[in-house]
Coordinates of all heavy atoms in Angstrom, one line a residue:
G1 N 0.8 -1.2 0.0 CA 0.0 0.0 0.0 C 0.8 1.3 0.0 O 2.1 1.2 -0.1
S2 N 0.1 2.4 0.1 CA 0.8 3.7 0.1 C 0.3 4.6 1.2 O -0.8 4.5 1.7 CB 0.5 4.4 -1.3 OG 0.9 3.6 -2.4
L3 N 1.2 5.6 1.6 CA 0.9 6.6 2.5 C 1.5 7.9 2.1 O 2.6 7.9 1.4 CB 1.4 6.3 3.9 CG 0.6 5.3 4.8 CD1 1.4 5.0 6.1 CD2 -0.8 5.8 5.1
R4 N 0.9 9.0 2.4 CA 1.6 10.3 2.3 C 1.7 11.0 3.6 O 0.7 11.3 4.3 CB 0.8 11.2 1.3 CG 1.5 12.5 1.0 CD 0.8 13.4 0.0 NE -0.3 14.2 0.6 CZ -0.8 15.2 0.1 NH1 -0.4 15.7 -1.1 NH2 -1.8 15.8 0.7
L5 N 3.0 11.3 4.0 CA 3.2 12.0 5.2 C 3.4 13.5 4.9 O 3.8 13.9 3.8 CB 4.5 11.5 5.8 CG 4.7 10.0 6.1 CD1 6.0 9.7 6.8 CD2 3.5 9.6 6.9
S6 N 3.0 14.4 5.8 CA 3.1 15.8 5.7 C 3.8 16.4 6.9 O 3.7 15.8 8.0 CB 1.7 16.4 5.6 OG 1.0 16.0 4.4
C7 N 4.4 17.5 6.7 CA 5.1 18.2 7.8 C 5.1 19.7 7.6 O 5.5 20.2 6.5 CB 6.6 17.7 7.8 SG 7.7 18.7 8.9
V8 N 4.5 20.4 8.6 CA 4.4 21.8 8.5 C 5.4 22.4 9.5 O 5.5 22.1 10.7 CB 3.0 22.3 8.8 CG1 2.9 23.8 8.8 CG2 2.0 21.7 7.9
V9 N 6.2 23.4 9.0 CA 7.2 24.1 9.8 C 6.8 25.6 9.9 O 6.6 26.2 8.9 CB 8.6 23.9 9.3 CG1 9.6 24.7 10.1 CG2 9.0 22.5 9.2
S10 N 6.8 26.1 11.1 CA 6.5 27.5 11.3 C 7.3 28.1 12.4 O 7.9 27.4 13.2 CB 5.0 27.7 11.6 OG 4.6 27.0 12.8
G11 N 7.3 29.4 12.5 CA 7.9 30.1 13.7 C 9.1 30.9 13.4 O 9.6 31.6 14.3
L12 N 9.6 30.9 12.2 CA 10.7 31.8 11.8 C 10.3 32.7 10.7 O 9.4 32.4 9.9 CB 11.9 31.0 11.3 CG 12.7 30.2 12.3 CD1 13.9 29.4 11.7 CD2 13.2 31.0 13.5
P13 N 10.9 33.9 10.7 CA 10.5 34.9 9.7 C 11.0 34.6 8.3 O 10.7 35.4 7.3 CB 11.1 36.2 10.2 CG 12.3 35.8 11.0 CD 11.9 34.5 11.6
Y14 N 11.7 33.6 8.1 CA 12.2 33.2 6.8 C 12.1 31.7 6.6 O 12.0 31.0 7.6 CB 13.7 33.7 6.6 CG 14.6 33.3 7.7 CD1 15.3 32.1 7.6 CD2 14.8 34.1 8.8 CE1 16.2 31.7 8.6 CE2 15.7 33.7 9.8 CZ 16.4 32.5 9.7 OH 17.3 32.2 10.7
G15 N 12.2 31.2 5.4 CA 12.1 29.8 5.1 C 13.3 29.0 5.4 O 14.4 29.5 5.6
S16 N 13.1 27.7 5.4 CA 14.2 26.7 5.6 C 15.1 26.7 4.4 O 14.7 26.9 3.3 CB 13.6 25.3 5.9 OG 12.9 24.9 4.8
Y17 N 16.3 26.4 4.7 CA 17.3 26.1 3.6 C 17.1 24.7 3.1 O 17.2 24.5 1.8 CB 18.7 26.2 4.1 CG 19.8 26.1 3.0 CD1 20.2 27.3 2.4 CD2 20.3 24.9 2.6 CE1 21.1 27.2 1.4 CE2 21.3 24.8 1.6 CZ 21.7 26.0 1.0 OH 22.6 25.9 0.0
C18 N 16.7 23.7 3.9 CA 16.5 22.4 3.5 C 15.5 21.7 4.5 O 15.4 22.2 5.7 CB 17.8 21.6 3.4 SG 18.7 21.5 5.0
M19 N 14.9 20.7 4.1 CA 14.0 19.9 4.9 C 14.3 18.4 4.6 O 14.7 18.1 3.5 CB 12.5 20.2 4.8 CG 12.2 21.6 5.2 SD 10.4 22.0 5.1 CE 9.8 21.0 6.4
A20 N 14.0 17.5 5.5 CA 14.3 16.1 5.3 C 13.4 15.2 6.1 O 12.8 15.6 7.1 CB 15.8 15.9 5.7
W21 N 13.4 14.0 5.7 CA 12.7 12.9 6.4 C 13.8 11.9 6.9 O 14.6 11.5 6.2 CB 11.7 12.2 5.6 CG 10.5 13.0 5.3 CD1 10.2 13.6 4.1 CD2 9.3 13.2 6.1 NE1 9.0 14.3 4.2 CE2 8.4 14.0 5.4 CE3 9.0 12.7 7.4 CZ2 7.2 14.4 5.9 CZ3 7.8 13.1 7.9 CH2 6.9 13.9 7.2
F22 N 13.6 11.4 8.2 CA 14.4 10.4 8.7 C 13.5 9.3 9.3 O 12.3 9.6 9.5 CB 15.3 10.9 9.9 CG 16.4 11.9 9.4 CD1 16.1 13.2 9.2 CD2 17.7 11.5 9.1 CE1 17.0 14.1 8.8 CE2 18.7 12.4 8.7 CZ 18.3 13.7 8.5
R23 N 14.0 8.2 9.6 CA 13.1 7.1 10.2 C 14.0 6.3 11.2 O 15.2 6.2 11.1 CB 12.4 6.2 9.2 CG 13.4 5.3 8.4 CD 12.6 4.5 7.4 NE 13.4 3.5 6.8 CZ 12.9 2.7 5.8 NH1 11.7 2.8 5.3 NH2 13.7 1.8 5.3
Q24 N 13.3 5.7 12.2 CA 14.0 5.0 13.2 C 13.0 3.9 13.8 O 11.9 4.1 14.0 CB 14.4 5.9 14.3 CG 15.3 5.2 15.4 CD 15.9 6.2 16.3 OE1 15.4 7.3 16.6 NE2 17.1 5.9 16.9
V25 N 13.6 2.7 14.0 CA 12.9 1.6 14.7 C 13.6 1.4 16.0 O 14.8 1.7 16.2 CB 12.9 0.3 13.9 CG1 12.1 0.6 12.6 CG2 14.3 -0.2 13.6
P26 N 12.9 0.9 17.1 CA 13.6 0.7 18.4 C 14.8 -0.2 18.2 O 14.8 -1.2 17.6 CB 12.5 0.0 19.2 CG 11.2 0.5 18.5 CD 11.5 0.6 17.1
G27 N 15.9 0.2 18.9 CA 17.1 -0.5 18.9 C 18.0 -0.3 17.7 O 19.1 -0.9 17.6
K28 N 17.5 0.5 16.7 CA 18.3 0.7 15.5 C 18.7 2.2 15.4 O 18.1 3.1 16.0 CB 17.5 0.4 14.3 CG 17.0 -1.1 14.2 CD 18.2 -2.0 14.0 CE 17.7 -3.5 13.9 NZ 18.9 -4.4 13.7
E29 N 19.7 2.5 14.6 CA 20.1 3.8 14.4 C 19.1 4.6 13.5 O 18.5 4.0 12.6 CB 21.5 3.9 13.7 CG 22.6 3.3 14.5 CD 23.1 4.3 15.6 OE1 22.9 5.5 15.4 OE2 23.5 3.8 16.7
R30 N 18.9 5.8 13.8 CA 18.1 6.7 12.9 C 18.8 6.8 11.6 O 20.0 7.0 11.5 CB 17.9 8.0 13.5 CG 16.8 8.9 12.8 CD 16.5 10.2 13.5 NE 15.9 9.9 14.8 CZ 15.4 10.8 15.6 NH1 15.4 12.1 15.3 NH2 14.9 10.5 16.8
E31 N 18.0 6.7 10.5 CA 18.6 6.7 9.2 C 17.9 7.8 8.3 O 16.7 8.1 8.5 CB 18.5 5.4 8.5 CG 17.0 4.9 8.3 CD 17.0 3.5 7.6 OE1 18.0 2.9 7.4 OE2 15.9 3.0 7.3
G32 N 18.6 8.3 7.4 CA 18.1 9.3 6.5 C 17.2 8.6 5.4 O 17.6 7.6 4.9
V33 N 16.1 9.3 5.1 CA 15.2 8.8 4.0 C 15.3 9.6 2.8 O 15.6 9.1 1.7 CB 13.8 8.8 4.5 CG1 12.8 8.4 3.4 CG2 13.6 7.8 5.7
A34 N 15.2 10.9 2.9 CA 15.2 11.8 1.7 C 15.4 13.3 2.2 O 15.0 13.6 3.4 CB 14.0 11.7 0.8
L35 N 15.9 14.1 1.4 CA 16.0 15.5 1.7 C 15.7 16.4 0.5 O 15.9 15.9 -0.7 CB 17.3 15.9 2.4 CG 18.6 15.9 1.6 CD1 18.8 17.1 0.8 CD2 19.8 15.6 2.5
I36 N 15.4 17.6 0.7 CA 15.1 18.5 -0.4 C 15.6 19.9 -0.1 O 15.4 20.4 1.1 CB 13.6 18.6 -0.8 CG1 13.4 19.4 -2.1 CG2 12.8 19.0 0.3 CD1 12.0 19.2 -2.7
L37 N 16.3 20.6 -1.0 CA 16.7 22.0 -0.9 C 15.6 22.9 -1.3 O 14.9 22.7 -2.3 CB 18.0 22.2 -1.7 CG 19.2 21.3 -1.4 CD1 20.4 21.7 -2.3 CD2 19.5 21.2 0.0
T38 N 15.5 24.0 -0.6 CA 14.4 25.0 -0.9 C 14.7 25.7 -2.2 O 13.8 25.8 -3.0 CB 14.3 26.0 0.3 OG1 13.9 25.4 1.5 CG2 13.3 27.1 -0.1
V39 N 16.0 26.1 -2.4 CA 16.3 26.8 -3.6 C 16.7 25.7 -4.6 O 17.7 25.0 -4.4 CB 17.5 27.8 -3.4 CG1 17.9 28.4 -4.7 CG2 17.1 28.9 -2.4

């Protein structure tokens, strides 16, 4: 199957330089999934 995750960032007067998704399971290291640059 499929899922779409969303993430809203607020609180600064300017935008992020980059945003990313990570994931982690118990007992395992957190790992990078994907990232995107704003510009």
Side-chain angles (χ1 to χ4, degrees):
S2 299
L3 282 174
R4 186 177 78 162
L5 306 183
S6 300
C7 172
V8 178
V9 180
S10 63
L12 289 180
Y14 52 91
S16 63
Y17 187 91
C18 60
M19 296 182 70
W21 291 99
F22 296 81
R23 69 184 187 182
Q24 188 171 25
V25 300
K28 302 291 185 180
E29 294 287 328
R30 188 172 298 186
E31 62 181 4
V33 173
L35 68 84
I36 186 168
L37 305 183
T38 299
V39 177

